[in-house]
Amino acid sequence: MLTAPGAPFEVARGDGGRLEYVGGPRTLREFVEVTWAFGDQVFLLGEDGTAYTYREFFAAACGLARRLTDEFGLRPGDRAVVAGRNHPEWQIAFWATQLAGLVAVPLNAWWTADECAYALDDCDPKVLLVDDERVRTVQEWARRRGVPWVDFRDMCAGDPLVAPPSVELSPDDDATILYTSGTTGRPKGAVATHRAQVGAALNPRYQAAAAALERGGVPGQGRPPVSLTTFPFFHAAAFTSVYGVMAAGGTLVLMRKWDAAKALELVERHRVTHYAGVPATALQLLDAAGGKGLDSLTNFNTGGASAPAEIVRRLTEAYGDRIEPRNGYGLTETCGGVLAQYGDAYRRRPDSVGRPTPVTEVRVAGPDGRALPDGEVGELLLRGQSLVRGYWRDERATAEAFTADGWFRTGDLAVVREDGRVSVVDRIKDVVVRGGENVYCAEVEAALHAHPAVADAAVLGVPHPVLGEEVAAVVRLRGRDAGCAAADDPRDELRHDPRDELRRRLPDELRRELRHDPRDELRAYVGRSLAAFKVPAHVLVHDGPLPRNAAGKVLKDELRTRVADVLSGG
């Protein structure tokens, strides 16, 4: 119904051998031009009350695009950095670059001046579009290199009669450079063409249509979504959410900085229908709601990091099937989500990230690169329209990431089930090899998350003289202030003996079961569902939120150093 010839999401194989959508826009400029037709519907709602209708947004983006070409003399192919928090002007800046035919380079708003300088030197931009905080971060680099910048506050309302610049673009021109998170080394600039990005823009539209059919509805009916999109805009997961909202003429409700209580207030005030965020913030929102409220929500979407089964379980227990849960899988290199799991299928299989979009092919490969049969664990390989063409000025990294026939090596271990749904087991580098047995950290983390006293958990390997490695778990217990400041000495955040902390936070029925050390209770709890060799040998309590990057992924290298220091008595 959706992908056959003549259907809305008809698919064919392109010249390069990748599957592609036959219809739809050819460039991001064509994608955004269509949104002008939504006119006076509200598109952007800032936390401070600033609002832009689609007409006002498009006029402002056109005006800035004209300024970039006429005042700054930029031409198609020039790089333009966009750096800032989730302000409405971020979207104006990004789409102005696309209307001007430039290559947008969103920078991580959490980076320091040195980290920004590395990316700026790498991509060599001709202009910086930044908020007031990022001005202070990048201005020294900009002055040294003679590169102009435009503060978000200087982006004036546009003239509704001004058209965008007249530029020639093709689907194979570069559209964006998104830097990887850099958790295992220096960030790399993943380069996506317009063909890839419009594929990424159609993917959430397809998934929404498929979800509507699966629940017995008709795609495209109902009021436009009002989405509390909490992903930072520079992250690939945000693109998936933003594209879906824009295509439907919906509203983006923005937060400058995550705060669960504030999010709950915004949901109620703006009658938000869709929530989108990383699993860590999703759990905090459910905690803040306490099983009540969220009356306007119809969709609860998570991405950007592995989602514990606890999310869909708690959502279903509190709200039944009124709120549709959705989870997915994507990477910077896929320009956002390319697999999705939703509705009843997600409730039945919370360990799955679902099926791929029709322009995404999936393969699970063994160490020798050969495809493995369904049911066997191997490295997840992807190929399709929304994949990037490679890394900016890094032929070696590109060659290492892609096979000769265009498959991208994700670095994730996965298994394809008999129904075609994919379960991501773990990152290859996150597997703990204990005495020759593989322990998937994600599996142990899921078991810990199910404990009523555990608010967050990370599992990693620590050296062992005989076994090679053994399993260690770092947990944050429920009731700890998620916004508390870090300790002066990071080692102080880890408590090797969690006896009093855990006992105080356990429900009454579990507290009565404690006989000796509460660490034994946690280990016994996960031992009910996991083999003995997977049970953590060490359990440490972390005082405050676990260290994470902007994508919501735990910084395990940082945590591993702290854990080793504590276990060694440092």
Side-chain angles (χ1 to χ4, degrees):
M1 293 179 67
L2 296 178
T3 61
F9 299 94
E10 179 183 351
V11 171
R13 206 169 283 279
D15 294 339
R18 293 181 175 183
L19 294 174
E20 298 177 3
Y21 293 112
V22 172
R26 298 173 304 155
T27 65
L28 283 183
R29 173 169 167 141
E30 291 183 6
F31 174 83
V32 71
E33 284 178 329
V34 176
T35 66
W36 177 85
F38 293 124
D40 292 329
Q41 295 185 52
V42 176
F43 173 33
L44 302 167
L45 267 177
E47 192 174 84
D48 61 355
T50 304
Y52 286 87
T53 65
Y54 277 89
R55 195 186 315 277
E56 292 167 338
F57 152 76
F58 193 74
C62 284
L64 180 57
R66 283 283 192 177
R67 187 178 174 190
L68 294 174
T69 57
D70 299 347
E71 179 180 336
F72 295 110
L74 303 186
R75 296 293 177 262
D78 288 340
R79 273 78 61 201
V81 157
V82 182
R85 292 186 184 266
N86 284 19
H87 300 293
E89 290 77 16
W90 197 103
Q91 291 296 327
I92 292 171
F94 176 84
W95 290 104
T97 68
Q98 299 307 306
L99 291 169
L102 309 178
V103 181
V105 187
L107 288 194
N108 189 321
W110 294 12
W111 278 349
T112 65
D114 287 344
E115 289 169 321
C116 286
Y118 167 80
L120 293 169
D121 285 336
D122 187 56
C123 70
D124 188 24
K126 302 300 181 185
V127 68
L128 311 178
L129 309 174
V130 293
D131 67 7
D132 57 327
E133 294 175 86
R134 252 44 59 183
V135 166
R136 296 189 293 272
T137 304
V138 303
Q139 63 183 358
E140 181 179 347
W141 183 93
R143 286 168 178 161
R144 186 172 67 250
R145 295 288 297 270
V147 175
W149 70 81
V150 179
D151 192 318
F152 282 2
R153 294 171 295 185
D154 296 331
M155 296 179 189
C156 302
D159 183 343
L161 300 180
V162 171
S166 178
V167 294
E168 293 291 331
L169 290 174
S170 79
D172 293 319
D173 289 337
D174 292 341
T176 60
I177 301 175
L178 271 66
Y179 279 87
T180 59
S181 59
T183 56
T184 58
R186 282 289 198 178
K188 299 186 293 290
V191 187
T193 63
H194 283 274
R195 189 187 306 276
Q197 284 290 4
V198 296
L202 289 171
N203 281 338
R205 293 181 63 187
Y206 165 80
Q207 297 288 15
L213 289 176
E214 288 197 16
R215 61 176 178 264
V218 178
Q221 289 193 342
R223 71 186 183 102
V226 179
S227 178
L228 180 63
T229 298
T230 64
F231 296 112
F233 283 153
F234 58 81
H235 190 267
F239 280 74
T240 299
S241 182
V242 171
Y243 285 150
V245 170
M246 292 179 72
T251 301
L252 283 174
V253 179
L254 310 182
M255 295 186 71
R256 175 184 171 275
K257 184 179 181 180
W258 171 253
D259 178 87
K262 181 69 173 179
L264 203 59
E265 176 193 330
L266 292 172
V267 169
E268 181 176 349
R269 186 197 315 168
H270 299 297
R271 305 301 295 163
V272 168
T273 61
H274 290 55
Y275 164 82
V278 297
T281 60
L283 286 167
Q284 291 172 28
L285 180 60
L286 291 176
D287 282 342
K292 302 176 182 178
L294 304 182
D295 296 333
S296 60
L297 273 192
T298 60
N299 292 73
F300 198 85
N301 309 300
T302 59
S306 177
E310 185 72 1
I311 291 178
V312 69
R313 183 191 67 78
R314 290 179 57 188
L315 192 70
T316 303
E317 284 184 356
Y319 304 101
D321 60 2
R322 179 177 66 79
I323 300 177
E324 180 177 275
R326 187 173 299 183
N327 180 30
Y329 175 88
L331 302 160
T332 303
E333 290 87 352
T334 63
C335 301
V338 290
L339 293 98
Q341 178 84 312
Y342 36 76
D344 289 338
Y346 186 16
R347 295 185 184 97
R348 291 192 302 268
R349 291 298 303 269
D351 62 333
S352 172
V353 291
R355 293 193 178 107
T357 67
V359 294
T360 306
E361 295 177 278
V362 170
R363 175 192 290 175
V364 172
D368 59 0
R370 295 184 180 181
L372 298 176
D374 290 355
E376 292 194 24
V377 174
E379 183 177 11
L380 179 64
L381 274 62
L382 301 172
R383 183 171 67 176
Q385 181 178 352
S386 67
L387 271 290
V388 299
R389 67 168 178 82
Y391 298 110
W392 178 252
R393 295 175 177 172
D394 197 336
E395 294 182 4
R396 180 178 178 180
T398 300
E400 291 175 349
F402 288 88
T403 66
D405 53 350
W407 290 86
F408 175 70
R409 301 181 177 96
T410 66
D412 285 321
L413 291 171
V415 57
V416 178
R417 307 297 181 185
E418 63 280 355
D419 60 356
R421 298 181 191 275
V422 178
S423 293
V424 176
V425 177
D426 214 336
R427 290 290 295 171
I428 290 176
K429 296 180 180 179
D430 264 357
V431 175
V432 178
V433 182
R434 181 191 181 277
E437 297 285 352
N438 287 349
V439 180
Y440 300 120
C441 296
E443 182 183 16
V444 184
E445 287 165 356
L448 287 166
H449 269 288
H451 194 290
V454 174
D456 202 0
V459 172
L460 43 89
V462 294
H464 188 275
V466 177
L467 299 172
E469 285 185 298
E470 59 182 353
V471 183
V474 180
V475 299
R476 181 171 69 86
L477 299 175
R478 199 167 299 285
R480 301 299 276 172
D481 180 7
C484 66
D488 292 334
D489 183 344
R491 291 173 297 180
D492 292 341
E493 294 179 344
L494 296 171
R495 298 169 187 259
H496 196 192
D497 185 355
R499 187 180 315 240
D500 295 334
E501 292 287 336
L502 185 57
R503 180 177 284 111
R504 191 162 57 246
R505 286 168 175 77
L506 282 173
D508 290 341
E509 61 272 18
L510 287 179
R511 188 184 298 118
R512 287 193 295 268
E513 293 179 8
L514 291 179
R515 295 179 299 278
H516 301 294
D517 192 333
R519 284 176 295 186
D520 294 336
E521 166 60 27
L522 273 182
R523 298 178 74 254
Y525 184 85
V526 299
R528 298 172 195 172
S529 57
L530 300 179
F533 68 87
K534 300 177 182 179
V535 175
H538 307 283
V539 176
L540 300 94
V541 171
H542 194 276
D543 188 7
L546 303 186
R548 296 178 181 272
N549 66 13
K553 297 176 183 177
V554 174
L555 299 174
K556 290 196 175 181
D557 284 346
E558 179 181 332
L559 207 54
R560 190 174 287 109
T561 300
R562 300 186 192 181
V563 170
D565 204 16
V566 170
L567 294 181
S568 66

